[in-house]
């Protein structure tokens, strides 16, 4: 069955450092991969989308890479700030999923001042 | 735009009672999704509508769960009878096109 793993449940880093979150998947060939941010008590909010034929995508301090050979995506937040503290979810789409997204369980990022 | 609207935001009920969750998608969006989120299982898709028609309900846990979308601006998720293991946060999301989903604030359900 399809499986998505985000490398750790929690990640603690110091302000100003780069946070790197990992998303691995098996038994799936997604057409695209998305990253969402979720704050406590709120619904997920879309951040970035990267397609299977793209290697890297950037948006301000965010960078996403997508390696379909390794079946892995890396999500980077550079110059991290305490306001970046949240849970980050990766989601796979396309690839015969009838338009659905399959979500990982998320990584809770804490940025300490 | 008001975004996806869900009601109620919180629901506490007793085992065996019927629970109805409501969702108003973003105007113009043609797909609507119901998800359930728990610590153990993460965010799970329950059912997905496209143009008000259910496309994939394979995530609906059992016959106690049902969902309807009578028109493009309203959907319900009903649990009857409810059980303590149904306690979770239920999200509704909508989208237009193929990709980005817009989530509502969720309904936190506690079944005692």
């Amino acid at each position: 069955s399809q499986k998505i793993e985000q490398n750790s449940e929690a990640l603690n880093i110091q302000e100003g450092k780069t946070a790197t979150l990992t998303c691995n998947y098996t038994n799936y060939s997604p057409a695209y991969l998305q990253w969402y941010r979720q704050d406590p008590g709120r619904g997920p909010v879309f951040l970035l989308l990267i397609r299977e034929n793209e290697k890297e995508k950037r948006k301000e301090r965010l960078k996403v890479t997508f390696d379909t050979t390794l079946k892995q995506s890396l999500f980077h937040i550079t110059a991290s700030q305490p306001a970046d503290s949240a849970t980050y979810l990766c989601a796979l789409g396309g690839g015969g999923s009838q338009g659905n997204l399959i979500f990982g369980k998320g990584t809770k990022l804490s940025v300490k001042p | 735009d008001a975004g996806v609207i869900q009601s109620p935001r919180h629901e506490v009920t007793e085992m065996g009672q019927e629970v109805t969750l409501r969702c108003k998608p973003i105007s113009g969006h043609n797909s609507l999704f119901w998800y359930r989120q728990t610590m153990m299982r993460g965010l799970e898709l329950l059912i997905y509508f496209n143009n008000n028609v259910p496309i994939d309900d394979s995530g609906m846990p059992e016959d106690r769960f049902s969902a309807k979308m009578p028109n493009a601006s309203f959907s319900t998720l009903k649990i009857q009878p409810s059980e303590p293991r149904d306690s979770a946060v239920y999200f509704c999301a909508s989208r237009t096109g193929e990709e980005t989903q817009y989530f509502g604030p969720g309904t936190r359900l506690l079944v005692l």
Side-chain angles (χ1 to χ4, degrees):
Chain A
S1 63
Q2 300 158 349
K3 190 174 180 181
I4 303 174
E5 286 187 350
Q6 296 193 236
N7 60 325
S8 58
E9 289 188 9
L11 179 65
N12 299 312
I13 65 168
Q14 205 67 33
E15 182 177 7
K17 301 292 186 184
T18 296
T20 298
L21 285 63
T22 305
C23 177
N24 295 292
Y25 59 93
T26 56
N27 299 324
Y28 197 66
S29 295
Y32 55 86
L33 185 147
Q34 301 183 5
W35 284 89
Y36 287 76
R37 169 179 173 146
Q38 187 174 20
D39 291 286
R42 294 175 174 261
V45 175
F46 170 77
L47 295 175
L48 279 169
L49 177 150
I50 187 165
R51 301 184 188 283
E52 60 178 337
N53 60 348
E54 298 175 314
K55 295 293 184 186
E56 183 179 297
K57 208 74 165 290
R58 291 175 185 262
K59 178 182 177 183
E60 298 172 352
R61 293 184 296 111
L62 308 179
K63 184 178 87 170
V64 173
T65 63
F66 192 13
D67 188 326
T68 54
T69 300
L70 290 179
K71 295 186 181 293
Q72 181 182 79
S73 174
L74 299 179
F75 177 78
H76 306 273
I77 306 175
T78 59
S80 60
Q81 305 167 0
D84 296 326
S85 299
T87 296
Y88 291 87
L89 306 169
C90 71
L92 305 180
S97 64
Q98 298 188 77
N100 303 340
L101 287 177
I102 302 171
F103 281 85
K105 288 187 179 179
T107 296
K108 184 175 181 180
L109 174 66
S110 295
V111 182
K112 305 297 184 185
Chain B
D1 198 330
V4 175
I5 299 172
Q6 290 187 247
S7 64
R9 293 295 310 280
H10 302 274
E11 177 82 26
V12 180
T13 190
E14 291 188 347
M15 183 174 65
Q17 297 298 306
E18 177 180 296
V19 175
T20 300
L21 310 181
R22 297 173 176 79
C23 175
K24 176 178 170 56
I26 293 172
S27 177
H29 283 195
N30 60 349
S31 297
L32 184 140
F33 305 79
W34 282 102
Y35 291 90
R36 177 172 67 179
Q37 188 174 41
T38 61
M39 290 292 292
M40 286 295 295
R41 301 175 67 89
L43 196 61
E44 301 175 284
L45 178 68
L46 298 177
I47 188 168
Y48 151 45
F49 293 86
N50 195 41
N51 293 321
N52 312 338
V53 176
I55 300 300
D56 181 3
D57 65 354
S58 59
M60 296 285 263
E62 48 200 271
D63 292 345
R64 297 185 298 107
F65 284 68
S66 62
K68 294 182 179 180
M69 191 164 186
N71 57 62
S73 59
F74 184 65
S75 177
T76 59
L77 177 67
K78 186 175 293 187
I79 308 172
Q80 165 64 17
S82 57
E83 296 182 3
R85 60 190 168 126
D86 301 330
S87 297
V89 182
Y90 291 80
F91 287 104
C92 175
S94 70
R95 77 169 182 215
T96 181
E98 290 292 316
E99 299 161 351
T100 305
Q101 295 187 15
Y102 296 83
F103 284 77
T107 294
R108 188 171 297 272
L109 173 65
L110 178 60
V111 183
L112 302 173

